[in-house]
Amino acid sequence: MDKLNYLLKYLLSENLEYRNIAIPESTDDRFALFRSLVNIRAPKPISEEYLAAEDEFLREMTAQKGITDYRDLTPVKPRVYLWRGDITTLKCGAVVNAANSGMLGCFCPCHGCIDNAIHTFAGVRLRMECAEIMRRQGFEEPVGQAKVTGAYALPCEKIIHTVGPCVGGKLTEQHREALKRCYISCLEAAVQNNISSIAFCCISTGEFHFPNENAAETAVRTVFDFLQSNRDIEVIFNVFKNGDFQIYKRLLGTD
């Protein structure tokens, strides 16, 4: 509670518009306020004292939720795992973040997307690193590419960010090819950066409305094709919802 109070006071002191915001009584409400403040915070310098306190606080929170080491899981196929759980608690080489074209995370306070969760529990340094990457790039992130960053307070070693296709109407072959490029780009980035294990979320199936069944079919087919010629990497299919879990169980033959 003391760490959370310190973080809240620091974040509230950054902006005069927040001066009348009172710190809530309950722990849950305090964390919701903390999450909201970091979600809307611009990528700008911050004190080393804050960063140290935030790292300690977020690591403690993740430990309380329970960390899963992928090596303790049973593979469903050689070098392939299926795991249902919170990707921010997974210990592995890299987790994949379903980003948007701005690549700075979700700015909607306490939003339920994976982009929001990853940025929240990694800490504010993640947005700062992403902002520097985008400053050097000079244009929005295209669909189907991949960027590697640090993981900061997360238990994984790296985060691989990719922007998936957005399906606004009928699913097309172009959508499928774009999603396939996302998986290939992430896998290639992992290999190039000597990352030996990578956990994929269900890219594009949330806010981008890619049909879950079709997305899973593309993911499984693309990953298995890649693994045929790349034997130095392991893949975890991470799902959060039971519906996706059942789809992947069937596609992977674990029913």
Side-chain angles (χ1 to χ4, degrees), residues 96 141-148 159-164 177-193 195 198 200 203 222-223 226 233:
V96 172
E141 181 74 354
V143 171
Q145 297 188 11
K147 296 286 191 296
V148 181
I159 303 168
I160 302 178
H161 308 258
T162 190
V163 180
E177 285 300 313
L179 185 60
K180 178 180 177 180
R181 287 199 305 274
C182 289
Y183 282 90
I184 292 173
S185 294
C186 290
L187 289 162
E188 290 178 341
V191 171
Q192 291 164 7
N193 286 271
I195 296 168
I198 179 173
F200 282 104
I203 302 168
T222 304
V223 164
F226 188 88
I233 190 167

Side-chain angles (χ1 to χ4, degrees), residues 27-42:
T27 302
D28 287 346
D29 288 342
R30 290 185 190 199
F31 180 72
L33 177 58
F34 164 77
R35 183 167 186 167
S36 298
L37 290 170
V38 297
N39 289 162
I40 64 175
R41 187 182 188 274

Side-chain angles (χ1 to χ4, degrees), residues 34-88:
F34 164 77
R35 183 167 186 167
S36 298
L37 290 170
V38 297
N39 289 162
I40 64 175
R41 187 182 188 274
K44 58 185 179 181
I46 197 164
S47 75
E48 291 298 322
E49 290 79 9
Y50 173 91
L51 292 176
E54 185 189 63
D55 264 358
E56 188 174 356
F57 171 71
L58 292 174
R59 291 181 194 279
E60 287 178 2
M61 279 205 70
T62 301
Q64 289 175 7
K65 289 190 291 183
I67 295 173
T68 297
D69 191 325
Y70 92 96
R71 291 168 296 189
D72 294 331
L73 303 175
T74 301
V76 295
K77 300 286 183 183
R79 295 180 292 130
V80 175
Y81 301 79
L82 174 61
W83 179 67
R84 184 184 178 193
D86 178 353
I87 201 169
T88 67

Side-chain angles (χ1 to χ4, degrees), residues 213-231:
E213 181 96 19
N214 301 100
E217 290 171 353
T218 297
V220 170
R221 182 172 58 250
T222 304
V223 164
F224 276 93
D225 286 347
F226 188 88
L227 290 179
Q228 286 183 5
S229 55
N230 293 269
R231 300 191 172 277

Side-chain angles (χ1 to χ4, degrees), residues 1-17:
M1 187 69 77
D2 288 342
K3 294 187 187 74
L4 182 54
N5 286 342
Y6 168 78
L7 298 174
L8 282 171
K9 289 176 182 178
Y10 187 102
L11 294 168
L12 289 170
S13 72
E14 286 189 310
N15 196 324
L16 288 176
E17 294 180 3

